Amino acid sequence: MSGTKKTGLILWLTLLLTGAYAEDGSRLWLRFSEAKVDKTLFSGIVSKTDALPAKEFGMAWNEMTGSELKRQAAPSSKSLIVGTVNDKHIKQTGIVSDLKNSGAEGYIIRSLKGDSVTVVAANTEAGLLYGVFHLLRLIQTEKFSYQLNIKEKPLYDVRLLNHWDNLDGTIERGYAGHSIWKWNELPGKISPRYEEYARANASVGINATVLNNVNASPQMLTKEYIQKVQAIANVLRPYHIRVFLSINFSSPKEIGGLPTSDPLDKNVKKWWSDKAKEIYKLIPDFGGFLVKANSEGLPGPMDYGRTHVDGANMLADALKPFGGIVMWRAFVYEPGDDRVKLAYNEFHKFDGMFRDNVIIQVKNGPIDFQPREPFSPLFGAMKKTPLMPELQITQEYLGQGTHLVFLAPMWQEFFEDDTFARGKGSFIAKVTTGNIYPQKFTAIAGVANIGEDANWCGHHFAQANWYAFGRLAWNNQISSEQIADEWITQTFQNKNKRPSDKNCWLPIKKMMLSSHETAVDYMMPLGLHHIFAWTHHYGPEPWCDIPGARPDWLPVYYHRADSVGLGYNRTTTGSNAVSQYYTPLNEEFNGLSSCPEKYLLWFHHVPWNYRMKSGRTLWDELCYRYDNGVQQVREYQKIWDKSENCIDAQRFAEVQSKLRTQSRDAVWWKDACLLYFQTFSKQPIPYNLERPVHELDDLKKIKLNMGHHN
Ligand code: GCW
């Protein structure tokens, strides 16, 4: 036996004996074999044998208990009944009338009195699937009982992932390897990952996906590719996931041989109508198009002197006969005024002019997925046009595949923001679900963090962000704490390690819940934004000032550090971006002392010696925040190392290693920002804080090879 083989065997035996084993994260939160389940929970299942929800339940049950769940022709004590309103056993339960307002995706899980029968019922198979996954989650997290009475339906109609996946297999802002879509193998070869992907999404309620990058290749709409898309759609369909595509606005010209892509040209209109027909013939439940137009160099209607309305409506007309929708992005910023104001200025004036199957997709903040931004003032401003939030699950600006940052608290903050659109209480959560101004349909998108890495998301904890997006798209009122609880239990529970695992989970949960604020602290506290390194957006480069580059791609444009102070004056004496918000919010943001400190430098240029609420000067406060970020990550390292006994060996080691990098990166961020801003403030870093360990000149030389255009 060779040395390596011997070591391998010993390692294997040790793992076996200690109960530790390698786990690569590929099972996500669907690790049913690790759940502690009493086999006698159910005596059998009453359901249609060919229905997917029952099949999914049966498979999970096998994994959980090691035994088959018997089919029953009629319910008996401790039966599980799974069925739609058309099934006779559901009719007998009396639940049917309660499902009246449950819609196409809602469900009821109810324990019937007397003989411990559990019923999962819905109007449709889609609802049933969500109900079954809910029941499984209860079992996995040891929350199942015979006293259930749950009624759920989603708050958003379309809950979709946006893949920024290119046809060559690369992913824009992807940090988990190449794309899971194997375009060169399709349609002949179907990767097993497509179905796993569908199941994982369905388990958290995601019902739609855009397969390709918003920076779309015209090739996507060729016959060849539509056939490939059809093959994927066929796998996703049983899981009730509808496929959408990003389109390139110049497609008629690029692949259709037309001399123009002018949206008012009749041949162009016909081209799109024919294209829609062609797609729906192969994919009858096709969702529609996502469009990035006249943004970051992409073509659009304005190339022909037309407007976003002309472009969106033309596509909407092509899709309308088939029930498709257009998701038109508001991420536009032609150079000119303060970038923060541009999307609002461009779109607000078009309110009420779009077709009823158009929805405007708006990033949560007015710039670009920064670690923290105030909400985009478009939310609440468009009263007659449906808007959908776009969140970024992939951590472009939040440590990418390396930093542990749980995004649910950031999204929760967004949902809880009050727009004052119709007075107090006009929360984003309500505005975007049609509860302030009625919307014909609602939607929410998350830019996916999924790739072909074994663990899907690069960082084991990044899976929590996929999970959280799904849960919040279903119900934007679920607390981050609940989401973390659910995810940790499902993801880390381990049959061999309980009960000690629970002691570990509390600190892990605390770490997750504070991790976003921590990243804000060590990257850009107090409202700083966009001081990332040029192109790759991983590390700090607040000094970056490339002659000739677009000013609004440069950090100095945003932080405006000078001898007086720091921050961008967006008040009435500055760019006046505050005026895009409703009263009293505009006034609150406008006042130096009323502006929430988390947005201070977003809205104000603040003197270095300005007194903060803590009593410290701005400069000192900045130093404390950066330092706090660093200390927190070190705390996370301790928490994680202490959890070694309850986490499997592989994931433990991988996360441990990433936390080490995150810890070094946090110091890098702190030193870079403080040493650089110190050249303006000319003040010492408070002496009780740890000293920089880098030279500013050395940090300025760091160039990571992660190239990207902006
Ligand atoms: O966040 C920026 C990214 C680009 C992205 C663009 C967008 C897909 O840096 O990579 O392009 O936004 O959202 O369109």
Side-chain angles (χ1 to χ4, degrees), residues 164 172-173 213-215 292 296 329 331 363 368-369 390 396-397 537 708-710:
W164 285 356
E172 182 153 351
R173 312 305 181 182
N213 192 350
V214 286
N215 291 327
K292 172 174 177 178
E296 299 188 330
R329 293 174 95 226
F331 181 66
K363 292 187 182 183
D368 188 14
F369 301 136
E390 176 178 337
E396 173 179 358
Y397 295 102
H537 299 161
H708 196 273
H709 67 283
N710 63 331

Side-chain angles (χ1 to χ4, degrees), residues 459-481:
H459 195 304
H460 291 293
F461 276 77
Q463 296 179 353
N465 294 329
W466 176 7
Y467 183 89
F469 171 76
R471 299 290 287 127
L472 288 168
W474 182 271
N475 178 1
N476 60 28
Q477 298 300 297
I478 308 180
S479 70
S480 305
E481 189 166 359

Side-chain angles (χ1 to χ4, degrees), residues 250-502:
S250 276
S251 300
K253 211 163 126 182
E254 302 286 335
I255 57 164
L258 297 187
T260 175
S261 294
D262 181 347
L264 299 192
D265 180 282
K266 76 172 188 318
N267 292 324
V268 170
K269 289 186 191 177
K270 181 166 168 359
W271 188 87
W272 283 109
S273 295
D274 291 346
K275 193 46 81 179
K277 216 174 286 163
E278 182 188 339
I279 296 174
Y280 278 91
K281 213 167 152 201
L282 299 186
I283 311 164
D285 56 350
F286 180 70
F289 296 143
L290 171 63
V291 196
K292 172 174 177 178
N294 292 118
S295 164
E296 299 188 330
L298 268 91
M302 286 150 103
D303 303 350
Y304 306 95
R306 314 299 183 193
T307 65
H308 287 287
V309 179
D310 297 327
N313 287 352
M314 183 268 298
L315 293 173
D317 290 342
L319 294 168
K320 181 83 179 176
F322 311 98
I325 63 168
V326 174
M327 300 176 289
W328 191 272
R329 293 174 95 226
F331 181 66
V332 298
Y333 56 105
E334 282 306 299
D337 205 349
D338 175 4
R339 173 167 167 188
V340 156
K341 293 160 64 184
L342 299 176
Y344 180 98
N345 286 347
E346 186 59 42
F347 277 86
H348 174 242
K349 60 185 185 223
F350 295 138
D351 192 16
M353 294 167 72
F354 293 96
R355 298 277 193 270
D356 68 355
N357 57 334
V358 175
I359 189 162
I360 307 300
Q361 180 164 315
V362 184
K363 292 187 182 183
N364 57 295
I367 293 191
D368 188 14
F369 301 136
Q370 296 302 290
R372 171 170 274 138
E373 298 192 30
F375 67 86
S376 161
L378 273 172
F379 293 108
M382 306 275 278
K383 302 183 179 170
K384 290 173 281 180
T385 307
L387 249 57
M388 58 185 284
E390 176 178 337
L391 307 175
Q392 195 181 43
I393 309 170
T394 191
Q395 292 165 240
E396 173 179 358
Y397 295 102
L398 281 151
Q400 305 185 352
T402 307
H403 294 198
L404 188 161
V405 185
F406 180 48
L407 300 177
M410 176 172 83
W411 297 331
Q412 195 180 337
E413 179 175 291
F414 166 68
F415 290 126
E416 286 173 357
D417 273 328
D418 196 342
T419 65
F420 291 90
R422 229 184 43 201
K424 205 168 156 38
S426 305
F427 305 111
I428 298 275
K430 287 188 166 180
V431 170
T432 55
T433 48
N435 286 305
I436 298 297
Y437 308 119
Q439 276 186 209
K440 204 176 150 208
F441 66 103
T442 58
I444 184 167
V447 180
N449 62 352
I450 296 161
E452 66 176 358
D453 277 6
N455 73 4
W456 298 86
C457 302
H459 195 304
H460 291 293
F461 276 77
Q463 296 179 353
N465 294 329
W466 176 7
Y467 183 89
F469 171 76
R471 299 290 287 127
L472 288 168
W474 182 271
N475 178 1
N476 60 28
Q477 298 300 297
I478 308 180
S479 70
S480 305
E481 189 166 359
Q482 182 187 329
I483 296 173
D485 260 333
E486 290 176 7
W487 180 80
I488 293 170
T489 312
Q490 294 171 89
T491 304
F492 291 119
Q493 70 182 347
N494 181 333
K495 265 191 172 148
N496 297 312
K497 293 196 181 255
R498 58 190 75 236
S500 69
D501 48 9
K502 289 205 173 137

